[in-house]
Structure formats: structure tokens, C-alpha cells
Amino acid sequence: MRPGFIIGDGAPRLGRRFHLQPRIPFGVFKERTAAAVVSSSRQIDFKDRTDMRAKTAVVLGAQWGDEGKGKIVDVLSERFNAVARYAGGHNAGHTVIIGGQKFVLQLIPCGVLRPGCRGIIGNGVVLDPIAFLKEVAKLRALGVGVDEQLFVSNRAQVILPYHRMIELAAESAPGRKKIGTTSRGIGPAYEDKMARSGLRIVDLLRPELLKTHIEAACGEKNAIAHALFGTDPLDPAQMYDEYAAAAEQVRPFVRDTGRLLNQILREGGSVMFEGAQGTMLDIDHGTYPFVTSSSATAGGAATGTGVGPTAIGTVISVTKAYVTRVGEGPFPTEIHDAVGDHLRARGMEYGAVTGRPRRCGWLDIPLLRYSNQVNGAEWLVVTKLDVLDELEEIPICVGYEIAGKVTDEIPADVQGLEAIKTVYTRMKGWRSSTEGITEFDKLPQEARDYLRFQERESGAKIGMVSTGPDRDQTMLLPEFAAALASLHA
């Protein structure tokens, strides 16, 4: 490891470690950095940079999504001025329970559930205006301050009906291998973005441009869908009328959110970046092609919001005490017997968006270690510990056997993942309730051993443990609590 420095006074902080080349004296590095960083109105000194670094965090899923990120973002959001969603669309489902009341958020960041916390939908998100307005209306009816707290990037891409048409037709086509998408148009919208033929929110707000775009796109998409799948054509005039009306309702929420986020940080505020889906669904680092169409890993937080990578303070990775996956794709530790059904029932493992039953499996240490490596995760949050309460013995995958050789390396291809034979160690269960426990020392000894093993083997330090679905059924470990307190120091 190269020589490194942590800027600070020695107290636990959320700031990232960064490395300097030994040949550059630290004082010279400081002077060069201070001279190079300039805002639009003033020069930012080196202290500003380290303060900014310490007041941001990325919260993301360690595996295939559904790890309980929504609850964790909600719990942590009281310590942040803004929560910014940076990828995905309304295919994500975050469930938050507050005082017994259930909120299911698909597109809107969980931060809006905290009065005074701004929720920001970043440029890396694909937004269906109709779905967005329906979600806004539901939250507004529940008394959530969406009109004051919610902002949408003018650079975010727009999902239109032909995206859903093409995705649904492709998933249903005879002989085509199913990916297991939600058929909500997410993938085709990202395809248009990368082909530079998409529509952005800023364009949605220009009626003439919107009309021209819809007419041209429908001509192309209708022809493709009919030729390949026999799909009936969409009416561009009807589509324009619907989306032109929706645009006027979306307009009050639209901002240059990259500028807004950077302004919050320059003024000493704090920002949490909220991931969607999970690391193993990332378009580059996941179990390709059974992945989503966006960058779900920590790197996506910078490209998906317009905040530079040096402003990312730390990465908090969320994992269940076991593992789940919804839809198709390889899953090395999947349980195929009654124990899997038991975990699904106790954990209420059904998709928040689709209602699909989730596949359940044992904790996979090589997978978690890989995820932490890709994301640079410093902190680990473990959810649904209480789901394991009734088990007498708990297997944990500690390695893979592939072609007769034991390894902890994650194969890049589906064939390699499907060839894995999992290597397990087994830990004693605690056979007593952990639900609602909020102090680590009050957990059964076996539960503490299980968590410490997970921490030791994964390479990230456990900062929080969730022992139930409600906001209050959460424990913060002292070192993590102290690091969070540094946000306001």
C-alpha cells in the first residue's frame, strides 16, 4: 500500500483515505491543491476541500438490490441536508416504515420523508413523468413536503411509452433469453441516452421540441417494434398531448441539480447519495447480462449527480444478514429447500415494485468482499438480522470451488458463475429474538459472533445493524455514531 494521509484530528470521521506520491512533499501538495481549486465566485482553500470531503456519503446495495437501503437512507437522512438519487428509474423500490406507516418510494429519494431535507433526482436517473407525478401525488396526500423539498435534474433522461413498448415486447419475444426486467422502459431509455437520441427533462419543457421528438421517435420505434415483434403502433399525437400536459406539472421541480448540490457543499452542508438496485446489478461490475442499465456502484454517484469524485466522503454498503435476488441470473448461494421458504416468509421477501418473490440464499463473503472492493466501502450496514433468529445453524459461503480449484475470485462470465460450487463454514444460531434490539452488547453472543465474522472477512467495518422494519429498530455502533457526528463538527 502506498503511503497515505488522513486529514483530521484523529477522531472517527466519514472522510476517505487518499494517497499521495511520496516524492511530492505534503506542504507542496497542499499549496498546489489550494491554488488549483477555484469556484465561480471565490477561491476555495484546502480546508474547504477536506470539509467538503467529510460531509458526503454514498449509500448503496452490496448485492442484487433489496438490501434495505430505503430504511437506512431514511434513518441517516436526519444528519444530511440533501439526499440525491444518482441512477436507475422507477424500477427501484425503497420501503420505509415510520411509526407503523409504510412508504414505498420508487423514484423519489427517501430524504423527502424528513422535514427540511431536500430530495434530489440527479442527471443519471431516467424519469417517467407520469410515474413521477403519481408518486408525488401519493406523498403529497400523506403530508410529505414534496413541493418544497423535491428537485429534478434538467439533464435527466425521460422515459416515454415507446421505451416500455419495446422492452415488454423484447422480454416476451419467443426464443429470447429473459433478463427479468420490470418492463418499465428503463433499459431502452438508457439505450437512447447512449445513442444520443434520448429526450432530456430540459427538452420535455419545450413543447415544439417535444412534439418533433415524439413524432420522429414514434416513426422509428413503431416500425422497429412492428417488424420485430408484431406490436401495434403508438399514436404520437396522443402521446404528445399527455406528456406536454405532464411537463407543465413537472416544471416547478426542475433545477440544475448539479449546481444545487455543489452549492450545498460549498456552503458547508452535507449530502447523501442514494444508490438504486445493487452492486451486482451494475452494468459494468455486476453479473452481466443479468444486470440493470446504469451505474449502481459508488462511481455512479459522481457521474449521476454532477458532483466531482473528490467530494465523495465515504461509502456505506448495505447488506442483509443473508442474500436475496429477484428475477433471473446466477446466484451461487441460493437455497433450494424449505429453509429458503422460511427466510422468504420471515423476511417478507417480495419486491416492493413488482411483488415478485425474491430468491433467498446464504451470506456470500467472496461476493461481499468483491462489492466492497469495487465501491471502496468503508462501512457496512447489516439489515434483517432478526430474520435469522430461529435458525439452529447458519452457513456462510467463504469460498468457491471452480474446476476443482478453491478461489474467492468472482468469475466475470455467467458460465463461470454457474459453475461455482460454494464452500461453506457454519456458525451456531442464537435461537432467540433480536427484533427491536438497539444496543450491540444486548444481542445474543452468537449473533455478535456472526456479525464480527462478517465484518472481519468482508473488509469493511460494521456501523449499523437493523433488527426490524421500523425506523426505530436500528442500532448505531459507537465508532460510526462518532463519525456521523463529525458531519456537524
Side-chain angles (χ1 to χ4, degrees), residues 204 207 210 214 239-249:
L204 178 73
L210 174 63
I214 286 177
M239 188 186 305
Y240 169 75
D241 289 343
E242 182 180 12
Y243 280 79
E248 293 311 308
Q249 295 180 66

Side-chain angles (χ1 to χ4, degrees), residues 122-134:
N123 59 273
V125 173
V126 288
L127 185 140
D128 182 326
I130 306 301
F132 169 75
L133 292 172
K134 286 180 180 178

Side-chain angles (χ1 to χ4, degrees), residues 313-380:
T314 194
V315 179
I316 302 167
S317 183
V318 184
T319 174
K320 285 175 180 159
Y322 50 102
V323 182
T324 61
R325 177 168 199 166
V326 69
E328 307 297 324
F331 187 177
T333 65
E334 185 172 9
I335 305 168
H336 297 283
D337 57 25
V339 178
D341 296 334
H342 169 80
L343 294 180
R344 186 178 302 108
R346 274 189 61 84
M348 295 181 287
E349 297 294 356
Y350 297 90
V353 173
T354 64
R356 291 182 292 181
R358 297 173 186 144
R359 300 150 65 190
C360 295
W362 301 117
L363 183 64
D364 188 331
I365 291 295
L367 193 82
L368 184 56
R369 194 179 295 133
Y370 168 80
S371 172
N372 288 343
Q373 170 190 291
V374 167
N375 292 304
E378 290 187 306
W379 297 98
L380 206 60

Side-chain angles (χ1 to χ4, degrees), residues 18 63 133 157 188 193 242 246 260 316 348 387 399 474 477:
F18 62 95
Q63 290 100 6
L133 292 172
Q157 295 280 322
K193 175 181 179 177
E242 182 180 12
L260 174 60
I316 302 167
M348 295 181 287
V387 174
T474 311
L477 275 66

Side-chain angles (χ1 to χ4, degrees), residues 442-461:
K442 292 185 178 180
L443 289 171
Q445 182 63 51
E446 294 84 358
R448 283 180 276 160
D449 291 342
Y450 183 81
L451 292 169
R452 289 306 184 197
F453 181 88
Q454 185 173 349
E455 177 181 73
R456 184 171 63 251
E457 295 298 320
S458 71
K461 193 169 184 61

Side-chain angles (χ1 to χ4, degrees), residues 141-165:
L142 292 170
V144 178
V146 285
D147 297 294
E148 300 80 26
Q149 296 173 235
L150 182 60
F151 304 92
V152 175
S153 172
N154 54 7
R155 291 174 170 83
Q157 295 280 322
V158 177
I159 299 173
L160 289 161
Y162 50 74
H163 294 127
R164 295 192 298 273
M165 172 185 72

Side-chain angles (χ1 to χ4, degrees), residues 11-81:
R13 292 187 181 276
L14 290 178
R16 301 281 298 138
R17 177 184 294 272
F18 62 95
H19 298 283
L20 313 177
Q21 293 292 341
R23 65 177 178 273
I24 302 177
F26 181 70
V28 175
F29 175 83
K30 177 177 177 179
E31 291 172 3
R32 291 180 183 176
T33 304
V37 182
V38 180
S39 71
S40 58
S41 59
R42 66 181 180 88
Q43 185 164 316
I44 302 174
D45 65 22
F46 189 71
K47 183 178 182 298
D48 289 326
R49 290 276 296 206
T50 57
D51 286 348
M52 183 185 293
R53 189 186 304 276
K55 292 188 177 182
T56 60
V58 180
V59 177
L60 48 74
Q63 290 100 6
W64 288 284
D66 306 311
E67 297 93 351
K69 298 182 295 297
K71 173 188 171 176
I72 302 308
V73 170
D74 172 64
V75 169
L76 294 176
S77 62
E78 68 174 342
R79 296 168 172 84
F80 290 86
N81 300 112

